[in-house]
Amino acid sequence: MNGQAQTFKMDDAPLNKFHLKITALTFGANFSDGYALGIIGIALTLLSPQMHLSPLWEGLIGSSALIGLFVGSLVLGGLSDRIGRQKIFLANFLVTTIASVLQFFINDPAILFMLRLLIGFALGGDFAVGSTLLAEFAPRKYRGFLLAFLNVVWTVGYVASTLVGYYLEKTGPESWRWMLVSSAIPAFIVLLLRIGTPESPGWLISKGRLEEARQIVKKYIGANAEINIPAISAETSAGFKALFTKKMWRRTAFGGLFYACQVLPYYAIYTFLPIILNDMGFTENFLADLFLNLFLLIGTVAGLWFMEKFTRRGFTINTFAILTISLLVLSVTHHSSQMLAMIAFIVFTFVMAAASNLTLVYPAELFPTEIRGTGVGAVTAISRIGSAIGTFLLPISMDSFGLGSSMIGMTVVLLIGTIISVAWAPETKSLSLTEASDPLNDASHPLYVEGSPLKEEGVKK
């Protein structure tokens, strides 16, 4: 390749059909996760009285997939740095399909809990590996948009589950079984389509398999595509420990905590949305539920434009601030003024949906190739600790303290997210993946050196 046999520059490649295909294949985890979260909330309204579930069991089953997501993203994300992205990318949906089908036959809450743990484990691995694989193929110009679009598909999955659940609910008392097994359909389709997905050239290069990387780039990106081969330091080749070195710990802490503070209220509120709406006085809550889902969808689409318009850092800080204020208003007005509370809920829903695009963009940009799977897996795992805790505790908190106090607790979480973002959020927009993932390019880092690639290229492109 013009005398540069070890250089493959893909960051400025034009968007082609393969980029769109790998993006579409990565949609699978996000659609399935959104669908699984939405459908369990509806199924629980039928399942709970039939099995006489306590608030404890409701919390456990509601949070089970999130607990699995924590373990799966941590374990499989790290494994992908050792054995590659492609194998895990395929196996995840084999597990998801089988476990989804088995949900139809359960008669015990403990077995349902275990199956949903397994579904979450596979989807957690896919969150880590899918976004990593996509980021390593995507050109810098389109990386943020393509990664953010994954969140749109998550929302489509969630909204689809609401519609499916609403119509299946009318089929009888056992309709919850059909609701749960319906998640196997998109999972099986994704499994079939993923057969033949190539390995990440970036990962192959990090393992010294240059010729394989050349062939993949030539076949899927173009004969003239090039990529810089990053230097692999001892610090970034040490696996999980490298996430907590003096160089990397701020990125790891920011990624995990910003992610957790955002998804804790999101998952908790939208898993139990029918129950929350009922507590707010919307006894016939399907229309209110559907209305909020519409704003979820509009927010995620609008978030794609916001991602292109604003810097990563500015978008993160400002959305956290708006979310904190809107949820506080909802907390104190949900009984005194139904209209004001609903307006606050709409603002919260729209901004949360838009801001959630960041959770699928930032993590992949924070870590270098050698530990990207491990890093994305770790911050996803940290986020799922938060979302699982919130989802588990919300029905218990509402039963013990009421909706207002429960919402104020989640408002405090969003305030913490605002403070963390002001202190640590780096700017990664418009940089190549190599530059964005180098913490020494961040001017707020104590080890930042004047004249780094960030200084030379700037971030206001």
Side-chain angles (χ1 to χ4, degrees), residues 140-175:
R140 80 170 89 186
K141 182 178 179 181
Y142 306 101
R143 186 178 66 238
F145 180 86
L146 295 178
L147 287 169
F149 203 82
L150 299 178
N151 188 56
V152 176
V153 180
W154 186 98
T155 308
V156 171
Y158 181 88
V159 174
S161 73
T162 301
L163 297 174
V164 171
Y166 174 73
Y167 287 105
L168 285 179
E169 188 176 11
K170 301 176 180 179
T171 63
E174 294 288 299
S175 59

mmCIF file of all heavy atoms in Angstrom, residues 140-175:
data_model
loop_
_atom_site.group_PDB
_atom_site.id
_atom_site.type_symbol
_atom_site.label_atom_id
_atom_site.label_comp_id
_atom_site.label_asym_id
_atom_site.label_seq_id
_atom_site.Cartn_x
_atom_site.Cartn_y
_atom_site.Cartn_z
ATOM 1 N N ARG A 140 -14.002 8.934 11.837
ATOM 2 C CA ARG A 140 -14.200 9.918 12.907
ATOM 3 C C ARG A 140 -15.377 10.854 12.637
ATOM 4 O O ARG A 140 -16.083 11.244 13.552
ATOM 5 C CB ARG A 140 -12.923 10.731 13.115
ATOM 6 C CG ARG A 140 -12.697 11.847 12.137
ATOM 7 C CD ARG A 140 -11.548 12.749 12.532
ATOM 8 N NE ARG A 140 -10.276 12.278 11.985
ATOM 9 C CZ ARG A 140 -9.108 12.819 12.286
ATOM 10 N NH1 ARG A 140 -9.044 13.814 13.143
ATOM 11 N NH2 ARG A 140 -7.995 12.362 11.746
ATOM 12 N N LYS A 141 -15.599 11.199 11.384
ATOM 13 C CA LYS A 141 -16.667 12.141 11.034
ATOM 14 C C LYS A 141 -18.043 11.597 11.399
ATOM 15 O O LYS A 141 -18.956 12.363 11.737
ATOM 16 C CB LYS A 141 -16.603 12.455 9.541
ATOM 17 C CG LYS A 141 -17.638 13.469 9.072
ATOM 18 C CD LYS A 141 -17.472 13.770 7.590
ATOM 19 C CE LYS A 141 -18.531 14.768 7.114
ATOM 20 N NZ LYS A 141 -18.390 15.058 5.660
ATOM 21 N N TYR A 142 -18.193 10.289 11.331
ATOM 22 C CA TYR A 142 -19.503 9.679 11.552
ATOM 23 C C TYR A 142 -19.582 8.874 12.847
ATOM 24 O O TYR A 142 -20.636 8.336 13.177
ATOM 25 C CB TYR A 142 -19.852 8.750 10.379
ATOM 26 C CG TYR A 142 -19.772 9.425 9.034
ATOM 27 C CD1 TYR A 142 -18.678 9.239 8.201
ATOM 28 C CD2 TYR A 142 -20.788 10.272 8.596
ATOM 29 C CE1 TYR A 142 -18.589 9.867 6.967
ATOM 30 C CE2 TYR A 142 -20.718 10.913 7.371
ATOM 31 C CZ TYR A 142 -19.614 10.704 6.556
ATOM 32 O OH TYR A 142 -19.531 11.325 5.341
ATOM 33 N N ARG A 143 -18.456 8.766 13.569
ATOM 34 C CA ARG A 143 -18.412 7.880 14.743
ATOM 35 C C ARG A 143 -19.459 8.261 15.783
ATOM 36 O O ARG A 143 -20.207 7.402 16.274
ATOM 37 C CB ARG A 143 -17.014 7.923 15.365
ATOM 38 C CG ARG A 143 -16.817 6.921 16.497
ATOM 39 C CD ARG A 143 -15.399 6.979 17.043
ATOM 40 N NE ARG A 143 -15.116 8.245 17.702
ATOM 41 C CZ ARG A 143 -14.135 9.075 17.345
ATOM 42 N NH1 ARG A 143 -13.364 8.781 16.311
ATOM 43 N NH2 ARG A 143 -13.942 10.202 17.997
ATOM 44 N N GLY A 144 -19.531 9.552 16.124
ATOM 45 C CA GLY A 144 -20.485 9.985 17.138
ATOM 46 C C GLY A 144 -21.916 9.722 16.711
ATOM 47 O O GLY A 144 -22.730 9.239 17.506
ATOM 48 N N PHE A 145 -22.238 10.011 15.455
ATOM 49 C CA PHE A 145 -23.606 9.824 14.958
ATOM 50 C C PHE A 145 -23.986 8.351 14.970
ATOM 51 O O PHE A 145 -25.079 7.987 15.421
ATOM 52 C CB PHE A 145 -23.729 10.388 13.552
ATOM 53 C CG PHE A 145 -25.105 10.233 12.946
ATOM 54 C CD1 PHE A 145 -26.083 11.189 13.188
ATOM 55 C CD2 PHE A 145 -25.408 9.141 12.159
ATOM 56 C CE1 PHE A 145 -27.358 11.046 12.642
ATOM 57 C CE2 PHE A 145 -26.680 8.986 11.605
ATOM 58 C CZ PHE A 145 -27.658 9.939 11.846
ATOM 59 N N LEU A 146 -23.097 7.494 14.458
ATOM 60 C CA LEU A 146 -23.410 6.069 14.377
ATOM 61 C C LEU A 146 -23.572 5.449 15.763
ATOM 62 O O LEU A 146 -24.502 4.663 15.996
ATOM 63 C CB LEU A 146 -22.328 5.325 13.591
ATOM 64 C CG LEU A 146 -22.205 5.688 12.108
ATOM 65 C CD1 LEU A 146 -21.065 4.915 11.461
ATOM 66 C CD2 LEU A 146 -23.517 5.420 11.370
ATOM 67 N N LEU A 147 -22.681 5.802 16.682
ATOM 68 C CA LEU A 147 -22.787 5.268 18.041
ATOM 69 C C LEU A 147 -24.043 5.803 18.729
ATOM 70 O O LEU A 147 -24.737 5.068 19.441
ATOM 71 C CB LEU A 147 -21.544 5.626 18.851
ATOM 72 C CG LEU A 147 -20.268 4.865 18.486
ATOM 73 C CD1 LEU A 147 -19.055 5.504 19.157
ATOM 74 C CD2 LEU A 147 -20.367 3.389 18.889
ATOM 75 N N ALA A 148 -24.332 7.082 18.533
ATOM 76 C CA ALA A 148 -25.511 7.679 19.163
ATOM 77 C C ALA A 148 -26.796 7.079 18.604
ATOM 78 O O ALA A 148 -27.789 6.947 19.327
ATOM 79 C CB ALA A 148 -25.504 9.194 18.962
ATOM 80 N N PHE A 149 -26.769 6.690 17.342
ATOM 81 C CA PHE A 149 -27.982 6.134 16.735
ATOM 82 C C PHE A 149 -28.372 4.817 17.394
ATOM 83 O O PHE A 149 -29.546 4.412 17.345
ATOM 84 C CB PHE A 149 -27.783 5.929 15.232
ATOM 85 C CG PHE A 149 -29.076 5.904 14.462
ATOM 86 C CD1 PHE A 149 -29.693 7.087 14.105
ATOM 87 C CD2 PHE A 149 -29.680 4.705 14.120
ATOM 88 C CE1 PHE A 149 -30.895 7.075 13.408
ATOM 89 C CE2 PHE A 149 -30.875 4.687 13.425
ATOM 90 C CZ PHE A 149 -31.489 5.871 13.065
ATOM 91 N N LEU A 150 -27.408 4.166 18.038
ATOM 92 C CA LEU A 150 -27.722 2.935 18.771
ATOM 93 C C LEU A 150 -28.747 3.208 19.859
ATOM 94 O O LEU A 150 -29.586 2.356 20.172
ATOM 95 C CB LEU A 150 -26.448 2.340 19.393
ATOM 96 C CG LEU A 150 -25.325 1.940 18.432
ATOM 97 C CD1 LEU A 150 -24.128 1.406 19.209
ATOM 98 C CD2 LEU A 150 -25.817 0.899 17.431
ATOM 99 N N ASN A 151 -28.677 4.400 20.450
ATOM 100 C CA ASN A 151 -29.625 4.744 21.505
ATOM 101 C C ASN A 151 -31.027 4.957 20.948
ATOM 102 O O ASN A 151 -32.021 4.677 21.625
ATOM 103 C CB ASN A 151 -29.165 6.002 22.241
ATOM 104 C CG ASN A 151 -30.005 6.291 23.461
ATOM 105 O OD1 ASN A 151 -30.135 5.461 24.344
ATOM 106 N ND2 ASN A 151 -30.601 7.475 23.501
ATOM 107 N N VAL A 152 -31.114 5.455 19.717
ATOM 108 C CA VAL A 152 -32.426 5.595 19.077
ATOM 109 C C VAL A 152 -33.075 4.228 18.964
ATOM 110 O O VAL A 152 -34.271 4.058 19.245
ATOM 111 C CB VAL A 152 -32.282 6.246 17.684
ATOM 112 C CG1 VAL A 152 -33.631 6.300 16.979
ATOM 113 C CG2 VAL A 152 -31.697 7.650 17.805
ATOM 114 N N VAL A 153 -32.277 3.238 18.587
ATOM 115 C CA VAL A 153 -32.816 1.893 18.413
ATOM 116 C C VAL A 153 -33.216 1.298 19.764
ATOM 117 O O VAL A 153 -34.189 0.554 19.861
ATOM 118 C CB VAL A 153 -31.796 1.000 17.680
ATOM 119 C CG1 VAL A 153 -32.339 -0.405 17.496
ATOM 120 C CG2 VAL A 153 -31.483 1.606 16.320
ATOM 121 N N TRP A 154 -32.448 1.612 20.827
ATOM 122 C CA TRP A 154 -32.838 1.169 22.167
ATOM 123 C C TRP A 154 -34.244 1.691 22.480
ATOM 124 O O TRP A 154 -35.106 0.956 22.977
ATOM 125 C CB TRP A 154 -31.854 1.692 23.210
ATOM 126 C CG TRP A 154 -32.083 1.178 24.603
ATOM 127 C CD1 TRP A 154 -31.445 0.157 25.217
ATOM 128 C CD2 TRP A 154 -33.051 1.669 25.560
ATOM 129 N NE1 TRP A 154 -31.935 -0.035 26.492
ATOM 130 C CE2 TRP A 154 -32.923 0.882 26.725
ATOM 131 C CE3 TRP A 154 -33.997 2.692 25.553
ATOM 132 C CZ2 TRP A 154 -33.705 1.084 27.865
ATOM 133 C CZ3 TRP A 154 -34.792 2.891 26.675
ATOM 134 C CH2 TRP A 154 -34.640 2.098 27.816
ATOM 135 N N THR A 155 -34.475 2.955 22.179
ATOM 136 C CA THR A 155 -35.766 3.566 22.467
ATOM 137 C C THR A 155 -36.865 2.962 21.612
ATOM 138 O O THR A 155 -37.983 2.747 22.073
ATOM 139 C CB THR A 155 -35.692 5.085 22.254
ATOM 140 O OG1 THR A 155 -34.584 5.614 22.985
ATOM 141 C CG2 THR A 155 -36.964 5.770 22.718
ATOM 142 N N VAL A 156 -36.549 2.676 20.345
ATOM 143 C CA VAL A 156 -37.521 2.007 19.473
ATOM 144 C C VAL A 156 -37.906 0.651 20.073
ATOM 145 O O VAL A 156 -39.086 0.270 20.082
ATOM 146 C CB VAL A 156 -36.952 1.823 18.054
ATOM 147 C CG1 VAL A 156 -37.865 0.933 17.213
ATOM 148 C CG2 VAL A 156 -36.784 3.172 17.373
ATOM 149 N N GLY A 157 -36.915 -0.070 20.603
ATOM 150 C CA GLY A 157 -37.188 -1.349 21.246
ATOM 151 C C GLY A 157 -38.097 -1.191 22.453
ATOM 152 O O GLY A 157 -39.030 -1.975 22.665
ATOM 153 N N TYR A 158 -37.825 -0.170 23.246
ATOM 154 C CA TYR A 158 -38.628 0.077 24.443
ATOM 155 C C TYR A 158 -40.066 0.437 24.065
ATOM 156 O O TYR A 158 -41.031 -0.103 24.626
ATOM 157 C CB TYR A 158 -38.005 1.201 25.274
ATOM 158 C CG TYR A 158 -38.769 1.496 26.545
ATOM 159 C CD1 TYR A 158 -38.489 0.806 27.711
ATOM 160 C CD2 TYR A 158 -39.772 2.457 26.564
ATOM 161 C CE1 TYR A 158 -39.199 1.059 28.873
ATOM 162 C CE2 TYR A 158 -40.491 2.719 27.717
ATOM 163 C CZ TYR A 158 -40.196 2.027 28.872
ATOM 164 O OH TYR A 158 -40.907 2.269 30.004
ATOM 165 N N VAL A 159 -40.223 1.339 23.098
ATOM 166 C CA VAL A 159 -41.564 1.748 22.670
ATOM 167 C C VAL A 159 -42.297 0.576 22.035
ATOM 168 O O VAL A 159 -43.505 0.375 22.261
ATOM 169 C CB VAL A 159 -41.471 2.936 21.692
ATOM 170 C CG1 VAL A 159 -42.844 3.273 21.118
ATOM 171 C CG2 VAL A 159 -40.880 4.156 22.392
ATOM 172 N N ALA A 160 -41.584 -0.236 21.238
ATOM 173 C CA ALA A 160 -42.208 -1.406 20.614
ATOM 174 C C ALA A 160 -42.746 -2.367 21.669
ATOM 175 O O ALA A 160 -43.826 -2.944 21.513
ATOM 176 C CB ALA A 160 -41.198 -2.119 19.710
ATOM 177 N N SER A 161 -42.006 -2.527 22.763
ATOM 178 C CA SER A 161 -42.455 -3.432 23.826
ATOM 179 C C SER A 161 -43.747 -2.925 24.459
ATOM 180 O O SER A 161 -44.622 -3.720 24.843
ATOM 181 C CB SER A 161 -41.367 -3.576 24.897
ATOM 182 O OG SER A 161 -41.258 -2.413 25.699
ATOM 183 N N THR A 162 -43.887 -1.612 24.574
ATOM 184 C CA THR A 162 -45.108 -1.033 25.140
ATOM 185 C C THR A 162 -46.315 -1.358 24.265
ATOM 186 O O THR A 162 -47.381 -1.759 24.756
ATOM 187 C CB THR A 162 -44.964 0.497 25.279
ATOM 188 O OG1 THR A 162 -43.853 0.785 26.128
ATOM 189 C CG2 THR A 162 -46.217 1.121 25.873
ATOM 190 N N LEU A 163 -46.154 -1.203 22.954
ATOM 191 C CA LEU A 163 -47.256 -1.489 22.032
ATOM 192 C C LEU A 163 -47.584 -2.973 22.000
ATOM 193 O O LEU A 163 -48.757 -3.368 22.060
ATOM 194 C CB LEU A 163 -46.890 -0.990 20.628
ATOM 195 C CG LEU A 163 -46.668 0.517 20.495
ATOM 196 C CD1 LEU A 163 -46.165 0.856 19.096
ATOM 197 C CD2 LEU A 163 -47.957 1.277 20.787
ATOM 198 N N VAL A 164 -46.545 -3.816 21.920
ATOM 199 C CA VAL A 164 -46.760 -5.265 21.905
ATOM 200 C C VAL A 164 -47.426 -5.710 23.205
ATOM 201 O O VAL A 164 -48.377 -6.500 23.202
ATOM 202 C CB VAL A 164 -45.423 -6.011 21.701
ATOM 203 C CG1 VAL A 164 -45.610 -7.516 21.916
ATOM 204 C CG2 VAL A 164 -44.881 -5.753 20.296
ATOM 205 N N GLY A 165 -46.916 -5.205 24.326
ATOM 206 C CA GLY A 165 -47.482 -5.572 25.621
ATOM 207 C C GLY A 165 -48.936 -5.155 25.753
ATOM 208 O O GLY A 165 -49.761 -5.908 26.293
ATOM 209 N N TYR A 166 -49.269 -3.977 25.254
ATOM 210 C CA TYR A 166 -50.642 -3.475 25.344
ATOM 211 C C TYR A 166 -51.609 -4.395 24.603
ATOM 212 O O TYR A 166 -52.684 -4.739 25.117
ATOM 213 C CB TYR A 166 -50.712 -2.061 24.771
ATOM 214 C CG TYR A 166 -52.119 -1.514 24.678
ATOM 215 C CD1 TYR A 166 -52.810 -1.127 25.823
ATOM 216 C CD2 TYR A 166 -52.749 -1.384 23.444
ATOM 217 C CE1 TYR A 166 -54.109 -0.621 25.745
ATOM 218 C CE2 TYR A 166 -54.042 -0.881 23.348
ATOM 219 C CZ TYR A 166 -54.719 -0.505 24.504
ATOM 220 O OH TYR A 166 -55.997 -0.013 24.408
ATOM 221 N N TYR A 167 -51.237 -4.836 23.410
ATOM 222 C CA TYR A 167 -52.144 -5.679 22.624
ATOM 223 C C TYR A 167 -52.144 -7.128 23.102
ATOM 224 O O TYR A 167 -53.182 -7.792 23.094
ATOM 225 C CB TYR A 167 -51.786 -5.578 21.138
ATOM 226 C CG TYR A 167 -52.194 -4.259 20.547
ATOM 227 C CD1 TYR A 167 -51.263 -3.276 20.260
ATOM 228 C CD2 TYR A 167 -53.540 -3.968 20.312
ATOM 229 C CE1 TYR A 167 -51.647 -2.041 19.743
ATOM 230 C CE2 TYR A 167 -53.936 -2.740 19.794
ATOM 231 C CZ TYR A 167 -52.984 -1.783 19.514
ATOM 232 O OH TYR A 167 -53.374 -0.559 19.012
ATOM 233 N N LEU A 168 -50.982 -7.635 23.551
ATOM 234 C CA LEU A 168 -50.947 -9.002 24.063
ATOM 235 C C LEU A 168 -51.701 -9.125 25.386
ATOM 236 O O LEU A 168 -52.232 -10.182 25.704
ATOM 237 C CB LEU A 168 -49.493 -9.466 24.242
ATOM 238 C CG LEU A 168 -48.718 -9.822 22.972
ATOM 239 C CD1 LEU A 168 -47.289 -10.232 23.328
ATOM 240 C CD2 LEU A 168 -49.414 -10.956 22.210
ATOM 241 N N GLU A 169 -51.727 -8.034 26.149
ATOM 242 C CA GLU A 169 -52.394 -8.058 27.457
ATOM 243 C C GLU A 169 -53.863 -8.452 27.331
ATOM 244 O O GLU A 169 -54.447 -9.039 28.251
ATOM 245 C CB GLU A 169 -52.274 -6.673 28.100
ATOM 246 C CG GLU A 169 -52.749 -6.616 29.536
ATOM 247 C CD GLU A 169 -52.519 -5.246 30.148
ATOM 248 O OE1 GLU A 169 -52.197 -4.307 29.391
ATOM 249 O OE2 GLU A 169 -52.643 -5.123 31.379
ATOM 250 N N LYS A 170 -54.452 -8.176 26.186
ATOM 251 C CA LYS A 170 -55.871 -8.456 25.979
ATOM 252 C C LYS A 170 -56.137 -9.918 25.651
ATOM 253 O O LYS A 170 -57.305 -10.324 25.567
ATOM 254 C CB LYS A 170 -56.396 -7.576 24.842
ATOM 255 C CG LYS A 170 -56.247 -6.080 25.081
ATOM 256 C CD LYS A 170 -56.708 -5.284 23.877
ATOM 257 C CE LYS A 170 -56.553 -3.787 24.100
ATOM 258 N NZ LYS A 170 -56.976 -2.986 22.923
ATOM 259 N N THR A 171 -55.080 -10.718 25.446
ATOM 260 C CA THR A 171 -55.280 -12.099 25.016
ATOM 261 C C THR A 171 -55.552 -13.061 26.156
ATOM 262 O O THR A 171 -55.844 -14.231 25.909
ATOM 263 C CB THR A 171 -54.056 -12.589 24.219
ATOM 264 O OG1 THR A 171 -52.898 -12.583 25.073
ATOM 265 C CG2 THR A 171 -53.792 -11.698 23.014
ATOM 266 N N GLY A 172 -55.422 -12.618 27.403
ATOM 267 C CA GLY A 172 -55.753 -13.509 28.509
ATOM 268 C C GLY A 172 -54.766 -13.405 29.650
ATOM 269 O O GLY A 172 -53.734 -12.725 29.551
ATOM 270 N N PRO A 173 -55.046 -14.109 30.763
ATOM 271 C CA PRO A 173 -54.200 -14.009 31.956
ATOM 272 C C PRO A 173 -52.789 -14.565 31.776
ATOM 273 O O PRO A 173 -51.887 -14.219 32.528
ATOM 274 C CB PRO A 173 -54.983 -14.831 33.000
ATOM 275 C CG PRO A 173 -55.859 -15.745 32.190
ATOM 276 C CD PRO A 173 -56.211 -14.972 30.972
ATOM 277 N N GLU A 174 -52.602 -15.435 30.788
ATOM 278 C CA GLU A 174 -51.274 -16.003 30.538
ATOM 279 C C GLU A 174 -50.511 -15.209 29.472
ATOM 280 O O GLU A 174 -49.467 -15.663 28.992
ATOM 281 C CB GLU A 174 -51.400 -17.455 30.079
ATOM 282 C CG GLU A 174 -51.954 -18.402 31.126
ATOM 283 C CD GLU A 174 -50.946 -18.678 32.230
ATOM 284 O OE1 GLU A 174 -49.868 -19.211 31.944
ATOM 285 O OE2 GLU A 174 -51.246 -18.332 33.391
ATOM 286 N N SER A 175 -51.019 -14.043 29.120
ATOM 287 C CA SER A 175 -50.393 -13.260 28.042
ATOM 288 C C SER A 175 -48.982 -12.834 28.393
ATOM 289 O O SER A 175 -48.172 -12.560 27.493
ATOM 290 C CB SER A 175 -51.246 -12.041 27.718
ATOM 291 O OG SER A 175 -51.412 -11.212 28.854
#
